[in-house]
Amino acid sequence: MSETKFEIDQQIVYPSQGVGKIVEVFEKSFKGTNLLYYRIYIPASDMVVLVPVQKAEELGIRSVVSAEEAEKALNSLSDDFEPITSDWKLRYQQNLDLLKKGTIADIAAIVRCLYNRSKVKELPILERKLYDSAKKLLTDEIVIAMGLEEKEVESRIHTKLEPPGATPKVKHIIDDFDDEDDDLMDDVNPKKRDRDDDDDDDEKDPDDSNEADSGDDFDEDDDSDF
C-alpha cells in the first residue's frame, strides 16, 4: 500500500461535506488498477464517502486545525472587512469558491460575510444554505479543535459576530450594485420563469438532492457501500 497522509480514526475536514473521521483505508480495483481509498464517515449527514487517496489533497481534505488556529478563526468573525457586493450572484460565487478552498479562515470569512449581509436584507435561499453549511462546518471544527461543547461554540460564534455594545457593521457592506435577491427563484429555475404562481407548489429546490458521494470522480461505477 502507498503511504497515506491520514490515519484510521483521524478527524479530518472535507470542505464540501463537513467534519469527518477516517474509518478505513483500503485498496479497490478501478478499471483494472488497484487504487487506495479513504472511507470517511461524516456525522453531520450520517454519510459515508469514498475518496481516492491520491485525490484527497485536490478535494481540500485536511486535518482539523490546532486550538490556536481555531481561536484565531473565531476571533476573525469580529474583524473589519471590505464592503460586500449586493449582487447576490457574484457574492454567492465568491463565497462558494472560499468554501471549496476550505481553510478554517475561509470558512469563518463566509460566516462573517453572510451574517453581516443578512443584517441588511434577508439572504436568498441558496445563500442561506451556504451560510448554514459554513457555520455548521466552522462550529464542528472548533468543537473538535478546542474540546468545547457545541452549544458553547455556537454562543461564542454569535458573540463574535454581535459583540455586546459594539457598533453595528451594517453600514460598511452596502455598495452601488442593484440587489437581485427578489429574482432569485427565477434565476435558479429559468425553465419555470413563465409559469403561473399556481405551479409554485410543484417547484423543487435544485440543491435538495441527497447524494452519498460528491467527490469521488474515480468511482463512476460505484457504489453500493452507502
Side-chain angles (χ1 to χ4, degrees):
M1 294 179 96
S2 303
E3 183 179 352
T4 60
K5 181 177 180 179
F6 307 113
E7 301 176 351
I8 294 175
D9 290 333
Q10 182 176 349
Q11 300 277 6
I12 54 88
V13 175
Y14 189 161
S16 62
Q17 302 289 345
V19 174
K21 178 187 287 189
I22 305 293
V23 296
E24 185 181 6
V25 180
F26 65 99
E27 281 189 346
K28 183 177 182 180
S29 178
F30 176 76
K31 295 183 178 180
T33 302
N34 286 337
L35 296 178
L36 202 58
Y37 281 78
Y38 291 119
R39 188 185 300 274
I40 304 172
Y41 175 62
I42 311 292
S45 56
D46 192 24
M47 180 172 68
V48 172
V49 182
L50 301 185
V51 176
V53 168
Q54 67 188 64
K55 197 178 180 186
E57 184 174 355
E58 177 187 336
L59 292 172
I61 296 175
R62 59 175 175 79
S63 303
V64 172
V65 298
S66 65
E68 291 75 18
E69 289 178 280
E71 185 73 47
K72 183 178 180 180
L74 191 58
N75 291 334
S76 73
L77 297 175
S78 300
D79 288 349
D80 289 330
F81 49 90
E82 295 297 320
I84 303 168
T85 177
S86 58
D87 181 342
W88 79 266
K89 294 176 183 177
L90 177 58
R91 192 173 63 229
Y92 179 77
Q93 188 58 55
Q94 289 173 338
N95 284 318
L96 194 60
D97 290 343
L98 285 179
L99 185 65
K100 290 177 181 178
K101 287 173 60 179
T103 70
I104 193 169
D106 291 328
I107 296 166
I110 297 170
V111 173
R112 181 183 61 196
C113 168
L114 295 183
Y115 178 82
N116 283 281
R117 176 61 195 170
S118 72
K119 304 302 286 186
V120 177
K121 186 175 183 180
E122 184 177 355
L123 295 175
I125 295 171
L126 293 181
E127 282 199 304
R128 182 68 201 186
K129 289 184 175 181
L130 181 58
Y131 171 76
D132 289 342
S133 295
K135 187 179 178 183
K136 174 63 174 171
L137 186 53
L138 181 64
T139 300
D140 288 349
E141 183 164 11
I142 292 175
V143 164
I144 295 172
M146 301 182 70
L148 302 174
E149 294 294 328
E150 183 174 347
K151 288 188 179 298
E152 181 178 353
V153 173
E154 290 174 345
S155 177
R156 292 186 63 176
I157 288 175
H158 181 74
T159 299
K160 293 296 182 180
L161 291 169
E162 286 279 353
T167 302
K169 295 182 179 181
V170 172
K171 63 182 180 181
H172 298 302
I173 70 172
I174 300 175
D175 59 24
D176 295 329
F177 289 91
D178 290 331
D179 197 333
E180 302 178 38
D181 291 355
D182 293 335
D183 298 324
L184 173 65
M185 294 313 297
D186 286 341
D187 289 319
V188 173
N189 300 291
K191 294 181 181 179
K192 300 176 185 283
R193 239 174 237 164
D194 300 325
R195 291 188 181 180
D196 294 333
D197 292 339
D198 292 338
D199 294 335
D200 288 349
D201 292 338
D202 295 328
E203 289 188 356
K204 181 178 180 181
D205 194 302
D207 279 6
D208 281 346
S209 59
N210 186 21
E211 298 182 1
D213 184 357
S214 62
D216 191 351
D217 292 342
F218 288 83
D219 242 0
E220 295 175 356
D221 300 324
D222 293 334
D223 243 294
S224 59
D225 302 62
F226 313 137

